[in-house]
Amino acid sequence: MKYALVTGASRGIGRAIAERLAKDGYAVLINYHSNTEAAEATKAAIEANGGQAELLPFDVSDGKAIEAALTTWDAAHEGEHISVLVNNAGVRRDGLMVFMSEEDWHEVMRTTTEGFYHTTKHVLPAMVRARHGRIVNISSISGVSGLPGQVNYSAAKAALIGATKALSKEVAARKVTVNAVAPGFIATDMTADLDEAELKKTIPAGRFGKPEEVAALVSFLCSDEAAYITGQVIEIAGGIG
Ligand code: NAP
């Protein structure tokens, strides 16, 4: 069995990626933080399509929790390993820099960068040994260009881009690819509070993207055909930028 771990797969983009990778033939590990009902719904949707999935809750901002969950998974799956990792879980805590609390700064940074560090560090050795692996980090156009009101989020997503580029060079010879996907505005719970009618006037494509469109890109990056693409940041933003 080929296993794919998708962090933040209970809702939004992560859910669409989990469903798509299950259609591609992966047994999907659905990570989430607290919304068990939504995670169960993702699992049920995958199983209804004949796919395989299991729940793997942990808080990506908590290194010890990540280590404990993945070590327990390893022990229950002797001889198997995770060959696809999608670092997708993320949060927004927007506000102008002059008003930004230390808590909002650290929460966004921790969720993105601690999550990347601990999850990737745990699954990478098995990928390297197997001479095959796919890591996709979900960044944002905010991390590419910077957006006002998102100094914390832009910093965290830019950190993910730097990590993607550096790690890709470390493991390319071992046939492990590492890429970042940078979405623009995608219709999910995360963007539900935004003024879509107003914002879509700034998007050349004239609309928000769909989680399934991001999932299709991630699916390609995880495929055998994408073996020669590594260290890239691929924007999926309807022409913004
Ligand atoms: P979403 O609808 O808000 O869903 C967030 C997901 O992340 C949920 O599954 C949530 O789990 C999980 N999560 C949040 N904090 C977590 C934590 N500490 N530990 C584990 N899981 C956690 O978000 P989305 O719009 O799908 O965004 C997914 C990713 O795409 C994020 O990294 C986001 O920054 C990025 N992105 C989104 C957009 C956009 O326009 N939507 C644009 C660019 C980039 P629970 O259900 O348990 O809370």
Side-chain angles (χ1 to χ4, degrees), residues 7-15 17 31-36 38-39 57-62 87-93 107 110-112 138-142 153 157 160 181-191 194 208-209 211 214 236:
T7 67
S10 50
R11 294 181 286 124
I13 294 170
R15 175 178 172 156
I17 293 170
N31 163 259
Y32 63 103
H33 185 200
S34 54
N35 197 332
T36 306
F58 54 78
D59 178 353
V60 297
S61 68
D62 179 347
N87 285 306
N88 165 78
V91 290
R92 254 180 63 208
R93 295 288 178 267
E107 187 179 356
R110 260 202 314 270
T111 306
T112 303
I138 307 299
S139 179
S140 166
I141 52 157
S142 184
Y153 187 80
K157 294 300 192 180
L160 214 43
V181 166
F185 293 102
I186 309 296
T188 67
D189 291 348
M190 188 178 272
T191 50
L194 301 181
F208 277 19
V214 181
I236 175 162

Side-chain angles (χ1 to χ4, degrees), residues 13-241:
I13 294 170
R15 175 178 172 156
I17 293 170
E19 290 191 42
R20 179 64 193 252
L21 292 178
K23 279 193 192 130
D24 294 344
Y26 290 95
V28 179
L29 314 184
I30 300 170
N31 163 259
Y32 63 103
H33 185 200
S34 54
N35 197 332
T36 306
E37 201 181 321
E40 292 279 11
T42 306
K43 182 171 184 276
I46 288 172
E47 288 170 350
N49 277 315
Q52 212 172 303
E54 59 187 287
L55 302 187
L56 196 62
F58 54 78
D59 178 353
V60 297
S61 68
D62 179 347
K64 286 199 176 72
I66 295 173
E67 198 48 42
L70 291 177
T71 303
T72 304
W73 187 88
D74 290 340
H77 296 80
E78 221 186 306
E80 299 185 293
H81 72 278
I82 293 164
S83 54
V84 167
L85 167 64
V86 184
N87 285 306
N88 165 78
V91 290
R92 254 180 63 208
R93 295 288 178 267
D94 295 355
L96 293 174
M97 184 64 183
V98 284
F99 301 120
M100 188 176 292
S101 68
E102 206 175 331
E103 193 187 336
D104 285 351
W105 168 262
H106 284 303
E107 187 179 356
V108 171
M109 290 300 285
R110 260 202 314 270
T111 306
T112 303
T113 59
E114 295 286 295
F116 165 83
Y117 171 78
H118 290 283
T119 311
T120 305
K121 183 129 192 291
H122 189 98
V123 304
L124 191 61
M127 290 183 184
V128 167
R129 275 196 301 275
R131 299 289 191 270
H132 175 79
R134 294 283 184 268
I135 297 173
V136 180
N137 298 316
I138 307 299
S139 179
S140 166
I141 52 157
S142 184
V144 177
S145 314
L147 285 181
Q150 292 199 321
V151 169
N152 49 357
Y153 187 80
S154 295
K157 294 300 192 180
L160 214 43
I161 289 172
T164 297
K165 292 185 178 183
L167 181 59
S168 71
K169 292 177 170 70
E170 289 186 11
V171 295
R174 301 288 185 271
K175 299 189 167 82
V176 177
T177 69
V178 189
N179 289 291
V181 166
F185 293 102
I186 309 296
T188 67
D189 291 348
M190 188 178 272
T191 50
D193 63 329
L194 301 181
D195 185 347
E196 185 170 345
E198 205 47 47
L199 281 168
K200 68 187 184 188
K201 292 179 197 158
T202 67
I203 305 170
R207 65 173 177 86
F208 277 19
K210 300 177 197 153
E212 294 73 22
E213 292 173 315
V214 181
L217 171 57
V218 172
S219 163
F220 175 66
L221 290 172
C222 294
S223 69
D224 289 342
E225 288 96 326
Y228 203 52
I229 302 173
T230 195
Q232 300 306 300
V233 184
I234 301 173
E235 296 178 28
I236 175 162
I240 295 179

